[in-house]
């Protein structure tokens, strides 16, 4: 519990520092702001709670606000949907246990494998908890990488993004994509802070990637639901793909990511060429890149 309270305190301080007093509609009081963001008492005022109550919450004291108070604090801190969900997780509105534990291994239903095979012309990744790659179809392997070449315990999208040199080369906007991966893992860690595997992954990435440590300490969260990725692919060259996510019924912690390109665009033609290339033989690691 103390570790979780420390996470809550850190998140509240970072979120408060990112707020804008003018945008929040607070009157100018003539005092010079030595640091950016809102003061504690201003957050308390906007949320409709006492300054002492909010201060104790930000200090990580063992108090559990009601859902309505959590919602009010989220509005005061200008949190988006992912940020409010993360706040609720850290406060423990739905928490049952904070003791470290190993969660059951996620399995992919046979019907999902059939669906991926049917979506032959659409690159697909299926991610589970903490962005573990549960499976992917042939074109998903060709577009990104074949995660099956890694040991089962290391098939993780965030680990690949942060630690694999091929990922850095593949994504034109690698820093933006890697930062989002870290923010998504932050959200996941708050969702189930007692998951031992998530804690182990965070510790590994902290030790191996200075970028991860810096972005993790910003305590920003992000929920990937749709977006775009700009790639410099070793087989078909530059292309941009859009992605949409589908959460599977009966398993809210398993998400299908489907990628497509704008109709009639050079990116669509590149994706079609990649599909033909992937059908020519087994999809393995892409050809070596010229240095």
């Amino acid at each position: 519990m103390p570790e979780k309270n420390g996470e809550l305190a850190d998140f509240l301080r970072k979120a408060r520092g990112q707020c804008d007093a003018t945008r929040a509609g607070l009157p100018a009081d003539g005092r010079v702001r030595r640091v950016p963001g809102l003061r504690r008492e201003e957050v308390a005022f906007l949320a409709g709670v006492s300054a002492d109550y909010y201060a104790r919450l930000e200090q990580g004291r063992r108090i559990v606000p009601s859902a309505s108070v959590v919602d009010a604090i989220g509005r005061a801190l200008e949190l988006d949907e992912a940020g409010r969900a993360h706040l609720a997780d850290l406060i423990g509105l739905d928490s049952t246990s904070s003791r470290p534990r190993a969660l059951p291994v996620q399995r992919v239903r046979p019907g999902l494998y059939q669906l991926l095979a049917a979506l032959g012309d659409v690159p697909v990744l299926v991610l589970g908890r903490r962005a573990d790659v549960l499976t992917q179809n042939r074109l998903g392997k060709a577009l990104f990488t074949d995660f099956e070449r890694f040991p089962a315990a290391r098939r993780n999208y965030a680990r690949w993004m942060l630690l694999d040199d091929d990922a850095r080369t593949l994504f034109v906007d690698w820093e933006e994509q890697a930062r989002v991966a870290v923010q998504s893992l932050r959200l996941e860690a708050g969702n189930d802070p007692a998951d031992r595997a998530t804690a182990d992954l965070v510790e590994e990435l902290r030790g191996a990637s200075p970028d991860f440590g810096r972005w993790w300490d910003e305590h920003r969260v992000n929920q990937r639901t749709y977006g775009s990725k700009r790639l410099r692919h070793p087989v078909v060259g530059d292309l941009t793909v859009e992605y949409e996510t589908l959460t599977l019924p009966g398993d809210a912690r398993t998400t299908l990511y489907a990628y497509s390109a704008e109709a009639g665009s050079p990116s669509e033609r590149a994706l079609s060429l990649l599909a033909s290339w992937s059908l020519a033989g087994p999809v393995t690691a892409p050809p070596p890149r010229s240095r």
Side-chain angles (χ1 to χ4, degrees):
M1 182 65 75
E3 181 179 349
K4 185 172 182 179
N5 289 346
E7 287 284 297
L8 171 61
D10 181 63
F11 178 67
L12 289 173
R13 286 193 297 269
K14 297 287 176 58
R16 179 164 59 84
Q18 294 158 14
C19 293
D20 184 282
T22 303
R23 190 169 59 242
L26 292 169
D29 57 10
R31 289 189 290 172
V32 176
R33 294 181 181 271
R34 294 190 295 272
V35 294
L38 300 178
R39 304 183 183 97
R40 282 180 177 174
E41 60 269 24
E42 291 173 331
V43 176
F45 170 76
L46 292 170
V49 298
S50 72
D52 178 68
Y53 183 89
Y54 179 77
R56 286 188 288 124
L57 186 65
E58 192 174 288
Q59 290 164 0
R61 303 286 184 86
R62 292 192 178 189
I63 54 177
V64 181
S66 66
S68 60
V69 170
V70 173
D71 185 60
I73 292 173
R75 289 197 304 272
L77 293 174
E78 303 175 337
L79 300 178
D80 59 13
E81 184 176 349
R84 294 189 190 193
H86 188 59
L87 175 61
D89 287 334
L90 292 178
I91 285 176
L93 288 183
D94 300 316
S95 178
T96 56
S97 172
S98 60
R99 289 165 42 182
R101 65 190 188 281
L103 297 176
V105 175
Q106 287 180 284
R107 306 292 184 186
V108 177
R109 300 193 296 263
L112 184 56
Y113 283 117
Q114 296 176 28
L115 175 61
L116 264 62
L119 297 174
D121 294 332
V122 178
V124 177
L125 297 181
V126 178
L127 304 188
R129 293 186 296 264
R130 78 196 68 88
D132 283 348
V133 180
L134 303 181
T135 189
Q136 57 189 146
N137 65 357
R138 175 179 289 273
L139 195 48
K141 294 176 183 180
L143 184 62
F144 297 111
T145 192
D146 183 359
F147 281 94
E148 290 182 2
R149 65 191 175 94
F150 303 126
R154 301 184 65 80
R155 295 171 189 169
N156 179 273
Y157 183 86
R159 178 189 283 111
W160 172 69
M161 178 69 75
L162 269 296
L163 303 185
D164 196 300
D165 288 341
D166 283 343
R168 285 179 176 265
T169 307
L170 177 64
F171 291 91
V172 175
D173 52 348
W174 175 85
E175 182 169 329
E176 178 183 347
Q177 296 293 336
R179 187 189 293 264
V180 169
V182 175
Q183 294 170 355
S184 297
L185 185 59
R186 251 299 187 186
L187 183 64
E188 176 77 17
N191 186 276
D192 201 335
D195 177 29
R196 186 179 295 112
T198 301
D200 290 345
L201 176 61
V202 170
E203 183 178 2
E204 176 193 352
L205 294 179
R206 263 195 180 282
S209 170
D211 290 320
F212 177 86
R214 184 173 69 256
W215 296 331
W216 184 265
D217 289 340
E218 291 176 353
H219 212 141
R220 293 176 180 265
V221 294
N222 186 296
Q223 187 168 29
R224 293 173 292 192
T225 54
Y226 65 92
S228 63
K229 296 181 186 294
R230 294 186 295 140
L231 309 177
R232 183 160 292 130
H233 198 276
V235 174
V236 297
D238 289 1
L239 73 160
T240 298
V241 292
E242 310 293 328
Y243 69 89
E244 294 287 340
T245 62
L246 301 171
T247 301
L248 300 184
D251 188 356
R253 304 296 291 276
T254 298
T255 305
L256 186 150
Y257 289 75
Y259 300 84
S260 63
E262 182 181 358
S265 67
S267 293
E268 185 187 46
R269 291 191 288 274
L271 203 55
S272 296
L273 178 61
L274 185 61
S276 299
W277 175 82
S278 71
L279 288 172
V283 176
T284 57
R289 296 177 173 84
S290 58
R291 298 291 182 180

